[in-house]
Each structure stands twice: as structure tokens, then as C-alpha cells.
Amino acid sequence: MTNINGKTRTVGLIGNPVEHTLSPFIHNLLAEKMGINTAYLPFQVKTENVKNAVLGAKALGLLGNNVTIPYKTDVLPFVDILDDEAQVVQAVNTLKYKNDQIYGFNTDGYGLRTSCLNNGIIFEGKTICILGAGGAAKSVAFMCAKENIKNLILINRTLETAQELRSNIHKYFDLPIDVFTFDDIDSHTRKNICFQTTSIGMHPLIDACPIEDPAFFNGMEWAVDIIYNPSETKFLKMALSAGVKALNGLEMLFYQAVKSFEIWHEVVIPNQIVGEVLLRLCDFAYNRTIKEMVK
Ligand code: NAP
């Protein structure tokens, strides 16, 4: 974000809270590397102002917005055209204002899938377990369902939410899905990959973990926590202690941002720039996170 002038196009993040977001760092660095005249800003929006924020951003001629917690579902009524992914997941993380229309996309599934594939995670024929059934879990579950997996196990504090997610997946995919609460699970049930999508373990409550029994990790190949702050959640620490490979959520965040950037600016970011910005992000995020954690 070096030279703001009369032609600068603005993009921003709508959410609450937004103080700790890494998105401005990613988007403004991508813009600089791509030579695109755009600026990305965080907008903390109160619940009662979500409609005004979306319509106001359109009226002000913003190029688009990212949408984050807790508004990914709340913005749906204001979208004119939903892409397939957002339609299926019923959540939007990317808005684009073009030709007097509001377009809604969801790039979270793309972000996670790209992150997993880049790290050598293979889905085909696997038993996948998902902890959580909230907004992010929906994207994770649909991403997995598209990957020719063997079956899904959904575990959530509130059973009804997980059952609702199962019903939604069954509208589109014929896939065996078992649903449990954390109190009902048998730790020894075989699973190849486990995605941790609850908010448990996120900074500052870094000693919390939705799983207490170390046996839960026996026989697992990959543990993926979509939380990226801290870089190693208690869930990932337990997985690593059990000899399971571990991946955090930073690359997911990064690749969902890459896709949003490509949607807004109608470009394809070359692999070299993607790689450079990802490295810079890791450095920026984890230096910063360590400082925050020792506070
Ligand atoms: P959400 O819609 O509010 O869902 C939260 C989930 O966590 C629900 O399944 C909820 O269970 C569960 N949960 C919350 N507190 C709990 C507790 N004390 N005990 C047991 N379960 C609890 O939030 P979200 O949008 O899915 O986000 C979840 C996490 O993913 C956040 O940490 C967020 O930062 C992260 N995330 C990361 C990325 C990325 O790009 N890396 C993208 C999106 C989200 P109930 O249904 O029982 O309430």
C-alpha cells in the first residue's frame, strides 16, 4: 500500500473483532508484488450495522470485502449472485461489487484444500474426522465430501448442529457420516485424518483442547488444526507426541486470501509471488504471535 491516489481501489474485511487479522498484511503485500493499485483495510462492524456496511461498501465503490467471524452467514441476504461453493456451504467469506451487483463467494474450502495438497495430504479412500460443526467446519466437511473419501465422522459439542451439517451434506453427497458429541466418542475409532475446527485452543486460551485422551490419536496419519494462533495448538502438540503429522491453519488462511485476491482483481497470481508472500507471512505471523504469547 505505497502510493494511494485517485485510482486506488479499496477492499476491506468486515468482522468483529478484526484487530488481530493477518489479511491486510497478505493482501497489501500481494498487491505490491502484483503491481496493483489497491488497499486492504480492516472494518470492525457491529451486528446491527452489517447490512449498512455491505450496502455502504458497494455505494462507496469498494471492489469487494472479505467477511469473517461472526458474519459469514449474516451477509447472505444482501448477495445478488452466490457462487456454487457459497450456495452449498451457505456462508460467504468474499463479496465482490461489480456492475451494480453483489457477488458472494466462499474461498475457505479452496484455502484448506490447497494447503493440504501442498503438504502431501491425500484424501482419497480415507476416513476423515472433523471436530466442530460451526461455520468453518461446513467448508471443511464439503471440501472433504468432494474428495472421494471413504467416510466422515463429525464430532461436536452440540449434537443437533452436527446432525444438521450431516443432513446438508447428504443433500449433495451420498457419503457415510457418523455423528457424535465429545462425550460419546470412542477414542479408538479408526480415522486417517482429523480436522480440528472448533475455536478451542485459540489464543489466549492456548492450554485448551477438545480432545483429552491421547489414545484418540493412535493410528492417525494427519492432524490439521485450522487455528493458526498459536502456531502449535494443544491439539497439534498431542498429535505430534503421538507421532502424527501436524498442520496448522496459516496456509489455509493464506490460500483463501490468494483466491479472494484473484476474484477481486481478475488475475492469476504467479506461483513465484505466491511462494514469496507465503514465506513473508510465516515470518510476520509467528514472530508476532510469539511476542503476543509471552505478554
Ligand atoms: P463458529 O461458527 O462459531 O463455530 C465454533 C465451533 O466451535 C462450533 O462447532 C462450536 O460448537 C465449537 N465450540 C466453541 N466453543 C466450544 C467449547 N467451549 N466447547 C466445545 N465446542 C466449542 O466458528 P468458525 O467460524 O467455525 O471458526 C472456528 C475456528 O476456526 C476459529 O478458531 C477460527 O479462527 C478458525 N478459522 C480459521 C480459518 C483459517 O483460514 N485458518 C478460517 C475460518 C475459521 P457448538 O456448535 O456446540 O457451539
Side-chain angles (χ1 to χ4, degrees):
M1 194 171 50
T2 43
N3 295 312
I4 291 181
N5 58 30
K7 292 184 181 165
T8 304
R9 297 300 307 274
T10 307
V11 189
L13 173 68
I14 293 174
N16 193 4
V18 293
E19 289 96 335
H20 295 288
T21 176
L22 293 169
S23 294
F25 179 88
I26 301 171
H27 283 280
N28 290 320
L29 191 54
L30 284 172
E32 186 188 312
K33 298 266 179 198
M34 290 292 289
I36 294 176
N37 186 355
T38 181
Y40 187 105
L41 298 166
F43 297 119
Q44 183 159 351
V45 175
K46 290 183 188 157
T47 308
E48 62 270 28
N49 289 331
V50 171
K51 181 177 181 182
N52 284 342
V54 173
L55 300 183
K58 180 186 168 198
L60 286 169
L62 266 68
L63 197 50
N65 283 112
N66 273 144
V67 183
T68 189
I69 291 175
Y71 302 133
K72 288 184 188 181
T73 306
D74 297 357
V75 299
L76 283 170
F78 318 123
V79 173
D80 299 309
I81 301 165
L82 266 186
D83 89 324
D84 289 348
E85 182 85 12
Q87 176 72 43
V88 167
V89 177
Q90 282 294 298
V92 162
N93 79 333
T94 304
L95 294 167
K96 177 166 175 156
Y97 311 115
K98 187 174 179 182
N99 300 333
D100 210 31
Q101 300 272 43
I102 301 182
Y103 294 81
F105 303 86
N106 193 311
T107 67
D108 283 334
Y110 171 87
L112 182 61
R113 182 174 184 275
T114 308
S115 162
C116 288
L117 296 184
N118 283 355
N119 285 282
I121 299 179
I122 295 164
F123 295 96
E124 191 166 353
K126 300 289 170 79
T127 295
I128 314 276
C129 175
I130 300 176
L131 309 181
K138 284 188 203 165
S139 293
V140 176
F142 276 100
M143 185 276 288
C144 293
K146 282 192 232 162
E147 291 292 326
N148 204 16
I149 61 172
K150 185 176 168 202
N151 61 315
L152 259 184
I153 301 168
L154 302 179
I155 304 172
N156 195 44
R157 174 178 59 179
T158 311
L159 188 65
E160 293 72 26
T161 318
Q163 287 170 332
E164 199 180 313
L165 177 54
R166 172 169 64 184
S167 303
N168 286 337
I169 297 169
H170 278 158
K171 285 182 197 158
Y172 299 90
F173 298 96
D174 182 17
L175 179 71
I177 305 176
D178 290 314
V179 168
F180 301 98
T181 66
F182 288 100
D183 298 328
D184 299 334
I185 46 171
D186 174 0
S187 288
H188 298 281
T189 303
R190 203 179 109 80
K191 56 249 169 222
N192 303 105
I193 305 167
C194 183
F195 290 96
Q196 195 310 101
T197 78
T198 74
S199 35
I200 304 173
M202 197 164 64
H203 179 78
L205 301 174
I206 58 171
D207 291 326
C209 180
I211 298 295
E212 281 160 17
D213 185 356
F216 181 82
F217 295 92
N218 289 349
M220 199 185 281
E221 295 160 33
W222 275 97
V224 181
D225 198 325
I226 69 165
I227 292 174
Y228 51 84
N229 184 4
S231 60
E232 219 173 77
T233 56
K234 175 139 185 239
F235 174 77
L236 292 187
K237 284 188 201 309
M238 286 178 76
L240 288 165
S241 298
V244 178
K245 287 179 272 186
L247 178 66
N248 74 17
L250 190 70
E251 279 189 59
M252 172 185 177
L253 175 82
F254 175 70
Y255 285 107
Q256 67 76 29
V258 165
K259 184 49 106 186
S260 298
F261 189 99
E262 292 185 336
I263 288 169
W264 292 321
H265 301 292
E266 299 177 3
V267 294
V268 176
I269 305 173
N271 287 340
Q272 193 195 333
I273 292 181
V274 168
E276 283 170 19
V277 176
L278 178 57
L279 275 180
R280 290 270 301 273
L281 172 67
C282 291
D283 187 30
F284 177 77
Y286 293 136
N287 283 333
R288 196 190 74 161
T289 303
I290 288 159
K291 277 184 215 146
E292 278 180 353
M293 286 197 298
V294 292
K295 257 185 202 166

